[in-house]
Amino acid sequence: MTRNASPPSHNTFDYIVVGGGSAGCLLANRLSRDPETRVLLLEAGRKDDYPWIHIPVGYLYCMGNPRTDWCFRTEGQKGLGGKALNYPRGRILGGCSSINGMIYVRGQRADYDRWRQLGNTGWGADDVVPHFQKLEDFAAGDMGLHGAGGEVRIEKQRLHWPLLDAIADAAVAAGIPKRDSITTSDTDGVGYFSVTQRRGWRWSAATAFLRPALARPNLTVATKAFVQRVLFEGCRAVGAEYLQDGALRNARARASVILAAGAIGSPHLLEVSGVGDANRLKALHIPVVHHAPGVGENLQDHLQLRCIYKVTGAATLNERVQSLFGKALIGAEYALFRAGPMSMAPSQLGLFARSDPAVETPDIEFHIQPLSLDRFGEPLHGFPAFTIAPCHLRPRSRGSVHVTSPDVVKAPKIDPNYLSDPEDRVVAARALRLTRRIAAQAPLRRYAPVEYVPGPHFETDEDLARAAGQVGSTIFHPVGTARMGPDAGAVVDERLRVRGLEGLRVIDASVMPTITSGNTNAPVMVIAHKGAIMALEDAQF
C-alpha cells in the first residue's frame, strides 16, 4: 500500500463500501483497522435497532416489512406455473444476516475447488477453509474442523422436538447417517443445524463486525443513504452519489469503491451507473461507461419444495400457537431461558443426501420444521404437521437481474428462471421420492404421517416434476450475478476487481461463479474476508 501526503477532505475516503450487509459490515471492520485508512459505509436501510431483528423468531416480522426488507418480487416463473415470488433482501444494517434463518453451512470443498478449476486462482478449498476457521467462534470450541475465537458466534439450537428426533431416526433408517455437525455438506448426513446465535439472540454481521468498529474515528457509517450511482472519471470509479435526508450527496474514494449490495443490489447499481450490456443500457437512455454483458446474468438460487405431512399424536408448533395460553408459555420460555420456539431458526433439522447414487457429493439439502403453513407469512395450520423441504443444491437453471429504468428507485427485474433446465426437473422428482421414502420409515409410523402437500396423487416422474413447480419457493440464496472468472463474460477477476475498470470492486454473493452446496451466508462472509485482504494489498493512493 502506498499513500500520498495530501490530507483528504471531509467527503473523501480511502474506501467507500456500498451496502451494510453481511459482506459490507465485515469489509468496514477489516478496512478500518488501520487508523490512517478512512472508510465510508453506505447503507440504504436503517440502524439495526428494531427489536425483532435480535429475537430469532423475529424474521417473521422482518421479511416483507419495508422497515427491514427491500420487498422485491420476482417475475412470474414459468417453471412454477406462472407464480411470482416474494424475494426478501435485507435493507438494514446487517443486511440479510439481520433477517435470515441464521443457519451456518460452509458448503462443500468441491464447490470451492470448482471455482479454482474455472480459473479463479486462490479460491480452492484449501484457500478458503482457513478463512472460515478464522471467522468462526463455535460454542463447542476448536474441534479441528471448526474455528474458535472469531467474530461469528455459532451455537447449537436451544430447543427439542421429539417429532424432529423421529424424523432424524427415519432418515437413518432410509440410509442417511446421523451426524453431530452438518456445518459442511461434503457427506450425507442428518442433524440439527448450527446457527449464528449467542445465548438465544441473533448474532448478525452488524453485531459481529460493525458494532466493535463503530468507535473508530476513521470509520463513517451512513444509514438511510440510498446510493444513486457510482461516479466515474473515464474508466476509473472515483466515488458514489447518494440520497440522504432528502439531499443528494457525493463522496470520493481514493483507493476504491466496493459494491457489497448483494446479488440483486450490486448488478442493479452497476447497470444504473453505466456498467452492463451496452444495448440494454442505451435502450433505457443510461450513458454507457463500460460494456460488460455479464452484469446481471448467471443468477442462481436454491428452490425449496415445501412438502407437508399431517401427523397424529405428535407435538408441533401448529397447535401450540392456537391458544393464548400456548403463546404465553412460548413467550415465558424465551423470557426466562432464551429457549423454545422464539429462539428457533426457521428450520431446525437439516439433512444432506444424494438424489442418485451416481452423484459424487450430496446434491439435496432438506430443511425440516415441526410446523406447517400455506405460504410464508401466513398463519400456521390448525392441525399437527411437519414440513420437510428438499432443495437442489447445484441447480443448472440460470436466471438474471436487470435494470428497468434509469431511476435506481425502481426495482430491477428479477427472473430466477426456476426449473428451466430439464435436469433440475429430474432432480426435483427424485427429491420428492426421497422425501416420501423417509416419511415411510418405521421411526415415524407411530405418528402416522399423511402427505398433505403436494399429495399422494402425484405419482409419475412427470407428475412429481409438475408438483415441484406447484410447491416450489425460494429459500433466499440468490448468487452469481457479477461472477468472477478469467473469461470475457465474467464481471470481476479473481481479485474481485471489475474487469475493464479501475478503482471498482464487487465483494458479495454476486461474485460466486456457481452456487455453494448449502446456505450461503457463511460463504459470503469468507468472500468479504478474502476481498478485504485483496483490497488492502492492491491499494495505491
Side-chain angles (χ1 to χ4, degrees):
M1 180 188 299
T2 60
R3 296 179 182 274
N4 59 39
S6 59
S9 64
H10 73 281
N11 70 331
T12 299
F13 300 84
D14 297 314
Y15 298 95
I16 297 174
V17 179
V18 180
S22 298
C25 287
L26 192 156
L27 287 163
N29 178 297
R30 294 299 191 264
L31 296 174
S32 65
R33 277 182 168 177
D34 179 353
E36 295 186 12
T37 300
R38 297 190 67 205
V39 179
L40 172 64
L41 176 65
L42 297 172
E43 167 54 43
R46 306 182 185 188
K47 296 178 181 178
D48 61 333
D49 53 4
Y50 183 46
W52 282 116
I53 290 171
H54 306 288
I55 299 171
V57 79
Y59 67 89
L60 291 169
Y61 306 99
C62 292
M63 291 187 181
N65 181 349
R67 177 172 181 162
T68 51
D69 181 5
W70 283 96
C71 298
F72 291 131
R73 193 165 174 80
T74 72
E75 298 295 298
Q77 295 298 288
K78 182 179 179 181
L80 306 185
K83 285 187 302 186
L85 303 178
N86 293 331
Y87 219 60
R89 296 284 88 198
R91 186 177 185 174
I92 193 79
L93 282 179
C96 290
S97 76
S98 289
I99 70 171
N100 70 0
M102 297 161 284
I103 292 170
Y104 188 89
V105 175
R106 288 183 181 177
Q108 298 174 6
R109 290 182 61 87
D111 297 331
Y112 304 102
D113 284 341
R114 185 180 180 192
W115 292 4
R116 175 178 51 79
Q117 290 158 5
L118 290 171
N120 297 294
T121 303
W123 289 95
D126 290 340
D127 301 304
V128 302
V129 166
H131 292 274
F132 280 110
Q133 293 173 326
K134 187 174 181 63
L135 294 175
E136 293 168 348
D137 182 27
F138 268 85
D142 184 353
M143 298 179 289
L145 172 66
H146 304 136
E151 294 104 327
V152 182
R153 182 66 174 180
I154 304 156
E155 298 184 349
K156 292 186 176 181
Q157 297 187 63
R158 304 159 71 91
L159 49 85
H160 177 249
W161 293 88
L163 175 59
L164 294 183
D165 291 342
I167 296 171
D169 291 340
V172 172
I176 299 163
K178 194 171 288 187
R179 292 171 56 195
D180 291 334
S181 172
I182 53 171
T183 57
T184 67
S185 53
D186 292 289
T187 59
D188 302 67
V190 60
Y192 284 90
F193 284 118
S194 295
V195 291
T196 49
Q197 293 182 12
R198 182 184 286 275
R199 299 175 183 172
W201 296 100
R202 177 190 290 273
W203 195 254
S204 71
T207 303
F209 299 107
L210 192 59
R211 191 171 297 166
L214 286 176
R216 297 173 185 169
N218 60 319
L219 172 62
T220 301
V221 178
T223 55
K224 294 191 283 187
F226 192 176
V227 175
Q228 307 294 290
R229 63 190 177 104
V230 177
L231 301 174
F232 290 93
E233 290 180 358
C235 289
R236 181 174 183 83
V238 296
E241 181 181 85
Y242 62 99
L243 187 66
Q244 187 184 45
D245 299 327
L248 200 60
R249 308 174 191 271
N250 287 346
R252 304 276 294 187
R254 296 196 299 168
S256 61
V257 177
I258 300 175
L259 302 188
I264 307 302
S266 287
H268 186 208
L269 188 54
L270 283 170
E271 289 186 327
V272 169
S273 303
V275 180
D277 181 83
N279 291 330
R280 177 177 289 108
L281 302 184
K282 289 175 182 176
L284 292 170
H285 306 291
I286 297 173
V288 178
V289 172
H290 176 61
H291 175 58
V295 172
E297 295 295 309
N298 193 48
L299 175 62
Q300 299 158 61
D301 190 13
H302 289 142
L303 181 73
Q304 64 171 335
L305 311 179
R306 293 183 59 83
C307 304
I308 298 172
Y309 284 79
K310 291 184 176 182
V311 291
T312 302
T316 74
L317 190 59
N318 286 10
E319 60 269 25
R320 287 193 66 180
V321 301
Q322 299 304 319
S323 68
L324 290 176
F325 180 71
K327 292 177 180 178
L329 285 179
I330 290 171
E333 188 175 8
Y334 186 74
L336 294 172
F337 308 110
R338 294 289 179 267
M342 287 186 68
S343 73
M344 283 171 45
S347 299
Q348 301 79 49
L349 187 68
L351 189 158
F352 292 96
R354 301 163 207 250
S355 64
D356 186 272
V359 176
E360 187 172 352
T361 60
D363 62 337
I364 301 293
E365 178 182 9
F366 286 80
H367 291 75
I368 305 167
Q369 309 153 347
L371 56 87
S372 66
L373 65 168
D374 288 331
R375 276 174 291 277
F376 184 84
E378 296 190 4
L380 300 184
H381 290 140
F383 49 81
F386 68 86
T387 299
I388 177 168
C391 71
H392 185 189
L393 291 173
R394 297 184 291 276
R396 295 189 181 185
S397 298
R398 297 292 184 269
S400 61
V401 176
H402 285 302
V403 65
T404 58
S405 166
D407 185 356
V408 72
V409 173
K410 187 170 182 181
K413 178 181 177 181
I414 303 171
D415 184 9
N417 209 19
Y418 295 117
L419 297 177
S420 57
D421 190 287
E423 181 65 19
D424 290 352
R425 296 173 62 82
V426 170
V427 174
R430 291 173 178 169
L432 293 176
R433 290 198 186 280
L434 178 56
T435 303
R436 287 175 172 174
R437 183 155 63 90
I438 293 169
Q441 297 301 314
L444 272 173
R445 287 175 190 160
R446 66 182 182 274
Y447 297 127
V450 175
E451 184 177 330
Y452 177 64
V453 173
H457 56 284
F458 294 98
E459 296 180 351
T460 68
D461 287 350
E462 185 178 345
D463 287 342
L464 290 171
R466 189 172 74 257
Q470 293 181 11
V471 303
S473 181
T474 177
I475 203 164
F476 320 123
H477 298 163
V479 307
T481 49
R483 71 172 176 89
M484 64 174 159
D487 57 289
V491 178
V492 300
D493 64 15
E494 76 280 0
R495 297 189 70 80
L496 310 185
R497 300 170 295 201
V498 176
R499 296 169 57 88
L501 296 172
E502 297 178 0
L504 183 61
R505 279 179 149 88
V506 180
I507 304 179
D508 57 27
S510 63
V511 307
M512 294 187 192
T514 54
I515 196 166
T516 53
S517 301
N519 303 68
T520 52
N521 192 241
V524 166
M525 290 187 284
V526 163
I527 288 169
H529 193 248
K530 280 181 62 66
I533 294 170
M534 292 172 176
L536 290 168
E537 289 174 343
D538 294 346
Q540 298 288 327
F541 53 91

